[in-house]
Amino acid sequence: MKKIIGFILTPIFYFFFGLCLLIFHPVQWLSLKLGGYNMHKKSVDILNFFLTYCNCLLFNSVTFIDNKNIPTGQPIIFVANHQSTFDIPAMIYFLRRFHGKFISKIELAKGIPSISFNLKHGGAANIDRKDSKQSIGEILKLANNMKTKNWSAFIFPEGTRTRNGKMKSFHVGGIATILKKNPDALIVPIAINGSYEMTKSGLFPLTPFVKMSWEVLDPIDKTDKTLEEIVLEAEQKIRLKVKNG
């Protein structure tokens, strides 16, 4: 029954999701030209509010458990498990006060309305996985911006999305590069639940009536720990919160 309803609701979801991307592409361009970074960021925040709540068209619930104890005004590395493409808008919107940037595949930085524009002009690290020198350079540029502008980074250390909700082991690469420039950055885990169910049949049909949640956990205490121990602790804390962890 869910799949039948999914066939009906998925085109409606994609219509409004795509409409948001098309409308906000020129809005982002105008915001950047007239108001620079700050106005552009506000337009991106508003876009991701609408993208997040497009989930309601599928009768999917969105629960974001914020953590008000996380300080602003310093670099933060948010480390999350990755379940689907639809993990991202809620993180951008609900954690907008931290100016979080993504490490993204360079292919996504062209051809996609709104998304590509933001990746090119919003401060993301757009990496070419076939070019290690370029990738390191992009991550170092992001790390430097974090240090000088108190931005934050969103990282999915599994490296790829899970298809069944089962977490993969975390890699330290991107985190290590950023920490070299920002040794005092906080490592904050985020546990994502349910979004993989939305795409368990692929991108069509999407699954309706899914309970999706994001929970921001307390920062990892880095005292006297190696990088590997820090990342492993973040992974373990997330696994405790993820249903199929």
Side-chain angles (χ1 to χ4, degrees), residues 2-183:
K2 271 190 178 183
K3 197 163 188 177
I4 295 173
I5 297 172
F7 274 108
I8 297 169
L9 296 180
T10 298
I12 299 171
F13 171 88
Y14 280 134
F15 174 80
F16 283 101
F17 196 93
L19 186 63
C20 289
L21 297 181
L22 290 172
I23 290 172
F24 274 89
H25 191 89
V27 170
Q28 283 189 67
W29 181 87
L30 192 61
S31 298
L32 184 62
K33 294 296 181 183
L34 295 180
Y37 171 81
N38 287 329
M39 189 176 288
H40 174 235
K41 182 184 178 302
K42 287 179 182 177
S43 72
V44 172
D45 293 341
I46 296 169
L47 165 64
N48 282 281
F49 167 83
F50 286 112
L51 295 181
T52 297
Y53 285 101
C54 277
N55 287 296
C56 296
L57 298 168
L58 294 164
F59 297 97
N60 291 343
S61 65
V62 173
T63 301
F64 198 96
I65 304 170
D66 206 339
N67 188 333
K68 299 300 183 181
N69 294 322
I70 307 297
T72 56
Q74 71 177 95
I76 297 172
I77 303 173
F78 290 100
V79 177
N81 61 308
H82 197 14
Q83 295 195 343
S84 84
T85 303
F86 302 107
D87 294 337
I88 294 171
M91 294 169 69
I92 294 174
Y93 175 69
F94 286 105
L95 296 173
R96 60 193 181 277
R97 66 190 185 275
F98 297 106
H99 296 257
K101 313 301 174 185
F102 282 89
I103 297 174
S104 174
K105 294 185 295 185
I106 197 169
E107 293 85 355
L108 298 178
K110 56 184 177 181
I112 308 171
S114 282
I115 292 172
S116 295
F117 188 91
N118 184 40
L119 289 174
K120 285 179 69 175
H121 301 286
N126 301 306
I127 64 172
D128 182 348
R129 292 182 175 177
K130 298 176 183 177
D131 186 341
S132 58
K133 185 177 179 181
Q134 184 272 352
S135 297
I136 293 171
E138 281 288 298
I139 296 173
L140 284 173
K141 184 171 69 174
L142 170 58
N144 189 60
N145 281 329
M146 291 172 66
K147 184 176 183 178
T148 59
K149 301 176 182 179
N150 287 323
W151 287 357
S152 296
F154 295 117
I155 294 182
F156 298 119
E158 292 167 283
T160 186
R161 299 185 298 272
T162 179
R163 301 297 180 185
N164 57 9
K166 188 74 175 175
M167 283 177 58
K168 301 176 175 67
S169 297
F170 283 8
H171 305 289
V172 302
I175 300 172
T177 305
I178 291 174
L179 276 178
K180 284 180 182 178
K181 283 274 188 180
N182 299 275

